[in-house]
Amino acid sequence: MKRKFSEDMAVDLVVYILLGLVGIVTLYPFYYTIVCSFNDGLDLMKGGVYLWPRKFTLGNYKLFLEDGDWRHAFLVSLARTLVGTAMRVGFTSMFSYALSRNNLMFKKGYRFLVVFTMYFSGGLIPFYVLLRNLGLLNSFWVYVIPGMVDAFFVMTGINFFAAIPESMIEAAKIDGAREIKVLTRVVLPVSKPFLATLALFSAVGQWNSWLDSAYYVRDAKLHTLAYKMMTVINQNIATANTEAAGQLSQANTQTSFTVQATAMAVSMLPIMCVYPFLQKYFVQGMMIGAVKE
């Protein structure tokens, strides 16, 4: 017994060490980004900054907030995340609830179309033509309307809503509630794991998306924070550093990299603030359909 206990302790120790190493490798890039955002740009160029800021400054954040382009891109990303997430959660929930009802006509046909769209798409050019014909190009709604229904979460929602006892729904209908009231007053309140999972995935996807801004939007006022970060990061670093060095006479100690790090730190903040409140439901939602009784 004592030998078995020692072997278990050794295995646990190895597992904890490996998990610790994986955690460090995973989290350190985020931590280093935050460290760079609080460090003086010219001092950072000397190297040797790894665990904490060597020359602490808030100048990077001041420059970021005073830059109208960065600030506007942040607001666009925030708006598309809030509106896009709300509309995706609402429409995906309604669609999946309707497909989970046994009395829906042509139910199998609708489900086939949903599954078909998960595996096949028309391609980028037909999708671009469709958006142009709908008048969505170069508008804020191109970020929101195409993603209002998520096929994967429709299938997940069908399984989740089908598991809700039919007696709850029938009792509400006997009391005179219509389908929309049954959905909002009975079904959705007991569907928090599914809604939280859908909301978190939708919010992260909306916040980090930049391809639609690159392909479908020409107006610089509609570009998102992720797109602006992508364009800035892809610029010639040598040119950026030369420009930064040329600003020494103006007492500007921020460099292109520290401003990029500041933008990345700011972009991580909203998701990091929201996730702890959704974690409990998120873990439950990830288990939807994983166990069959």
Side-chain angles (χ1 to χ4, degrees), residues 14-69:
V14 173
V15 171
Y16 289 143
I17 292 175
L18 291 177
L19 289 177
L21 292 175
V22 172
I24 292 174
V25 172
T26 304
L27 297 177
Y28 181 73
F30 298 98
Y31 176 74
Y32 180 71
T33 300
I34 296 175
V35 169
C36 292
S37 69
F38 285 106
N39 199 89
D40 180 86
L42 298 180
D43 179 74
L44 184 66
M45 294 175 62
K46 301 175 183 178
V49 178
Y50 302 110
L51 297 179
W52 50 78
R54 182 170 54 203
K55 189 174 181 181
F56 182 85
T57 180
L58 295 176
N60 297 313
Y61 286 89
K62 182 180 179 182
L63 182 63
F64 176 84
L65 294 175
E66 290 179 348
D67 190 322
D69 292 338

Side-chain angles (χ1 to χ4, degrees), residues 276-289:
F277 299 100
L278 298 179
Q279 182 180 10
K280 178 178 67 174
Y281 302 112
F282 176 73
V283 173
Q284 299 176 20
M286 290 299 294
M287 296 299 294
I288 296 174

Side-chain angles (χ1 to χ4, degrees), residues 7 9 18 37 64 85 115 157 212 214 225 273 292:
E7 291 176 351
M9 289 288 292
L18 291 177
S37 69
F64 176 84
T85 300
V115 175
D212 46 8
L225 182 63
C273 293
K292 298 293 183 181

Side-chain angles (χ1 to χ4, degrees), residues 197-213:
T197 306
L198 173 57
L200 186 59
F201 273 95
S202 300
V204 172
Q206 288 281 4
W207 183 260
N208 293 330
S209 180
W210 62 269
L211 277 175
D212 46 8
S213 186

